Coordinates of all heavy atoms in Angstrom, one line a residue:
L21 N 12.7 -9.6 -2.4 CA 11.2 -9.2 -2.5 C 10.6 -10.1 -3.6 O 9.5 -10.6 -3.5 CB 11.0 -7.8 -2.7 CG 11.4 -6.8 -1.6 CD1 11.1 -5.4 -2.0 CD2 10.8 -7.2 -0.3
E37 N -0.9 -12.1 -12.2 CA -1.0 -10.7 -12.5 C -0.3 -9.8 -11.4 O 0.1 -8.7 -11.6 CB -2.5 -10.2 -12.6 CG -3.2 -10.8 -13.8 CD -3.7 -12.2 -13.6 OE1 -3.4 -12.9 -12.6 OE2 -4.4 -12.7 -14.5
G38 N -0.3 -10.3 -10.2 CA 0.4 -9.6 -9.0 C 1.9 -9.5 -9.3 O 2.4 -8.5 -8.8
I40 N 3.2 -9.0 -12.2 CA 3.3 -7.8 -13.1 C 3.1 -6.5 -12.4 O 3.9 -5.6 -12.6 CB 2.2 -8.0 -14.3 CG1 2.5 -9.2 -15.0 CG2 2.2 -6.7 -15.2 CD1 1.3 -9.7 -16.0
A41 N 2.2 -6.5 -11.5 CA 2.0 -5.2 -10.7 C 3.3 -4.9 -9.9 O 3.7 -3.8 -9.7 CB 0.8 -5.4 -9.8
H42 N 3.9 -6.0 -9.4 CA 5.1 -5.8 -8.6 C 6.2 -5.3 -9.5 O 7.0 -4.3 -9.1 CB 5.5 -7.2 -8.0 CG 6.8 -7.1 -7.1 ND1 6.7 -6.6 -5.9 CD2 8.1 -7.3 -7.4 CE1 8.0 -6.6 -5.4 NE2 8.8 -7.0 -6.3
G43 N 6.3 -5.8 -10.7 CA 7.3 -5.2 -11.6 C 7.0 -3.8 -12.0 O 8.0 -3.1 -12.1
R44 N 5.8 -3.4 -12.1 CA 5.6 -2.0 -12.4 C 6.1 -1.1 -11.1 O 6.7 -0.1 -11.3 CB 4.1 -1.7 -12.6 CG 3.9 -0.2 -12.9 CD 2.4 0.1 -13.2 NE 2.0 -0.6 -14.4 CZ 0.7 -0.7 -14.8 NH1 -0.2 -0.2 -14.0 NH2 0.4 -1.3 -15.9
G45 N 5.8 -1.7 -10.0 CA 6.3 -1.0 -8.8 C 7.8 -0.9 -8.8 O 8.4 0.1 -8.5
E46 N 8.5 -2.0 -9.1 CA 10.0 -2.0 -9.1 C 10.5 -0.9 -10.1 O 11.5 -0.2 -9.8 CB 10.5 -3.4 -9.7 CG 10.6 -4.5 -8.7 CD 11.2 -5.7 -9.3 OE1 11.5 -5.7 -10.5 OE2 11.5 -6.6 -8.5
F48 N 9.1 1.9 -10.9 CA 9.0 3.3 -10.3 C 10.0 3.4 -9.1 O 10.4 4.5 -8.8 CB 7.6 3.6 -9.9 CG 6.8 4.1 -11.1 CD1 6.0 3.2 -11.8 CD2 6.8 5.4 -11.5 CE1 5.3 3.6 -13.0 CE2 6.2 5.8 -12.7 CZ 5.4 4.9 -13.4
N84 N -0.4 -9.1 -2.7 CA 1.0 -8.6 -2.7 C 1.3 -8.0 -1.3 O 2.4 -8.2 -0.8 CB 1.2 -7.6 -3.8 CG 1.3 -8.1 -5.2 OD1 0.6 -9.1 -5.5 ND2 2.1 -7.6 -6.0
L88 N 4.3 -9.3 1.2 CA 5.5 -8.5 1.4 C 5.6 -8.0 2.8 O 6.7 -7.8 3.4 CB 5.5 -7.3 0.5 CG 5.7 -7.6 -1.0 CD1 5.6 -6.3 -1.8 CD2 7.0 -8.2 -1.3
R148 N -14.0 -6.5 -6.3 CA -13.6 -5.5 -5.3 C -14.7 -4.7 -4.7 O -14.6 -4.1 -3.7 CB -12.6 -4.6 -5.9 CG -11.2 -5.1 -5.9 CD -10.2 -4.1 -5.6 NE -9.1 -4.5 -4.9 CZ -7.8 -4.4 -5.3 NH1 -7.5 -3.8 -6.4 NH2 -6.9 -4.9 -4.5
A165 N -3.3 -0.2 -0.6 CA -1.9 -0.3 -1.1 C -1.9 -1.2 -2.4 O -2.7 -2.1 -2.5 CB -1.0 -0.9 -0.1
L166 N -1.1 -0.7 -3.3 CA -0.9 -1.5 -4.6 C -2.3 -1.9 -5.2 O -2.6 -3.0 -5.4 CB -0.2 -2.8 -4.3 CG 1.3 -2.8 -3.8 CD1 1.6 -1.9 -2.7 CD2 1.8 -4.2 -3.5
E167 N -3.0 -0.8 -5.5 CA -4.4 -1.0 -5.9 C -4.7 -0.6 -7.3 O -3.9 0.0 -7.9 CB -5.3 -0.2 -4.9 CG -5.2 -0.6 -3.5 CD -6.1 -1.8 -3.2 OE1 -7.0 -2.1 -3.9 OE2 -5.8 -2.5 -2.2
D168 N -6.0 -0.9 -7.7 CA -6.4 -0.2 -9.0 C -7.3 1.0 -8.6 O -8.0 1.0 -7.6 CB -7.0 -1.2 -9.9 CG -8.0 -2.0 -9.3 OD1 -8.3 -1.9 -8.1 OD2 -8.6 -2.9 -9.9
G169 N -7.2 2.0 -9.5 CA -7.7 3.3 -9.2 C -9.2 3.4 -9.2 O -9.7 4.3 -8.4
D170 N -10.0 2.5 -9.8 CA -11.4 2.8 -9.8 C -12.0 2.6 -8.4 O -13.0 3.2 -8.1 CB -12.1 1.9 -10.8 CG -11.9 0.4 -10.7 OD1 -10.9 0.1 -10.0 OD2 -12.6 -0.4 -11.3
T172 N -10.5 3.4 -5.6 CA -10.2 4.7 -4.9 C -11.3 5.7 -5.2 O -11.8 6.4 -4.3 CB -8.8 5.2 -5.2 OG1 -7.9 4.1 -4.9 CG2 -8.5 6.4 -4.5
I185 N -0.8 3.8 -0.8 CA 0.6 3.6 -0.9 C 0.9 3.1 -2.3 O 0.4 2.0 -2.6 CB 1.2 2.6 0.2 CG1 0.8 3.1 1.6 CG2 2.7 2.5 0.0 CD1 1.2 2.1 2.7
D186 N 1.5 3.8 -3.1 CA 1.7 3.4 -4.5 C 3.0 4.1 -5.1 O 3.1 5.3 -5.0 CB 0.4 3.9 -5.3 CG 0.4 3.3 -6.7 OD1 1.4 3.0 -7.2 OD2 -0.7 3.2 -7.3
L187 N 3.8 3.3 -5.6 CA 5.1 3.8 -6.1 C 4.9 4.6 -7.4 O 5.8 5.4 -7.8 CB 6.0 2.6 -6.4 CG 6.9 2.2 -5.2 CD1 7.4 0.8 -5.4 CD2 8.0 3.1 -5.0
N188 N 3.8 4.4 -8.0 CA 3.5 5.1 -9.3 C 2.8 6.4 -9.0 O 1.6 6.4 -8.8 CB 2.8 4.2 -10.2 CG 2.5 4.9 -11.6 OD1 2.9 6.0 -11.8 ND2 1.7 4.2 -12.4
L190 N 1.8 8.5 -11.0 CA 0.9 8.8 -12.2 C -0.3 7.9 -12.2 O -1.2 8.1 -13.0 CB 1.7 8.5 -13.5 CG 3.0 9.2 -13.7 CD1 3.7 8.7 -14.9 CD2 2.8 10.7 -13.8
S191 N -0.4 6.9 -11.3 CA -1.5 6.0 -11.4 C -2.8 6.7 -11.0 O -2.8 7.7 -10.3 CB -1.3 4.8 -10.4 OG -1.5 5.2 -9.1
R192 N -4.0 6.1 -11.4 CA -5.2 6.8 -11.0 C -5.4 6.7 -9.4 O -5.9 7.7 -8.8 CB -6.4 6.0 -11.6 CG -6.6 6.4 -13.1 CD -7.7 5.7 -13.7 NE -7.4 4.2 -13.5 CZ -8.4 3.3 -13.4 NH1 -9.6 3.6 -13.5 NH2 -8.0 2.0 -13.3
T193 N -4.9 5.6 -8.9 CA -5.0 5.5 -7.4 C -4.3 6.7 -6.7 O -4.8 7.4 -5.9 CB -4.3 4.2 -6.9 OG1 -5.0 3.1 -7.6 CG2 -4.5 4.0 -5.4
A194 N -3.0 6.9 -7.2 CA -2.2 8.0 -6.6 C -2.9 9.3 -6.8 O -2.9 10.1 -5.9 CB -0.8 8.0 -7.3
I201 N 1.1 8.1 -0.6 CA 2.5 7.8 -0.2 C 3.2 7.2 -1.4 O 3.0 6.0 -1.7 CB 2.6 6.9 1.1 CG1 1.8 7.5 2.2 CG2 4.0 6.6 1.5 CD1 1.5 6.5 3.5
D203 N 6.0 5.5 -2.3 CA 7.2 4.8 -1.8 C 6.9 3.3 -1.8 O 5.7 2.9 -2.0 CB 7.4 5.3 -0.3 CG 8.7 4.9 0.2 OD1 9.6 4.5 -0.6 OD2 8.9 5.0 1.4
N204 N 7.9 2.5 -1.7 CA 7.8 1.1 -1.6 C 7.1 0.8 -0.3 O 7.5 1.2 0.7 CB 9.1 0.4 -1.7 CG 8.9 -1.1 -2.1 OD1 8.0 -1.8 -1.6 ND2 9.8 -1.6 -3.0
I205 N 6.1 -0.1 -0.4 CA 5.4 -0.5 0.8 C 6.3 -1.0 1.9 O 6.0 -0.9 3.1 CB 4.2 -1.4 0.5 CG1 3.2 -1.5 1.7 CG2 4.6 -2.8 0.1 CD1 1.9 -2.1 1.4
V206 N 7.3 -1.7 1.5 CA 8.2 -2.4 2.4 C 9.0 -1.3 3.3 O 9.4 -1.6 4.4 CB 9.2 -3.4 1.8 CG1 8.5 -4.5 1.1 CG2 10.2 -2.7 0.9
Ligands
LIG1 P1 -4.4 2.6 -11.4 O1 -5.7 1.9 -11.8 O2 -4.4 3.2 -10.1 O3 -3.9 3.5 -12.5 P2 -2.8 0.3 -12.0 O4 -3.7 -0.2 -13.0 O5 -1.4 0.6 -12.3 O6 -3.3 1.5 -11.1 P3 -2.3 -2.2 -10.6 O7 -2.0 -2.8 -11.9 O8 -3.2 -2.9 -9.7 O9 -2.8 -0.7 -10.7 O10 -0.8 -2.0 -10.0 C1 -0.6 -1.8 -8.7 C2 0.2 -0.6 -8.4 O11 1.0 -0.9 -7.2 C3 1.2 0.0 -9.4 O12 0.9 1.3 -9.6 C4 2.6 -0.2 -8.8 O13 3.4 0.8 -9.1 C5 2.3 -0.3 -7.4 N1 3.2 -1.1 -6.6 C6 3.6 -2.4 -6.9 N2 4.5 -2.9 -6.0 C7 4.6 -1.9 -5.0 C8 5.3 -1.8 -3.8 N3 6.1 -2.8 -3.4 N4 5.1 -0.7 -3.1 C9 4.3 0.3 -3.5 N5 3.6 0.3 -4.7 C10 3.7 -0.8 -5.4

Side-chain angles (χ1 to χ4, degrees):
L21 294 185
E37 290 81 353
I40 298 168
H42 182 79
R44 181 178 295 166
E46 279 188 348
F48 279 96
N84 286 38
L88 295 175
R148 278 218 145 126
L166 290 53
E167 298 279 338
D168 46 4
D170 55 347
T172 302
I185 304 177
D186 191 335
L187 273 161
N188 178 4
L190 307 172
S191 77
R192 279 177 307 149
T193 307
I201 302 171
D203 197 13
N204 197 319
I205 194 168
V206 301

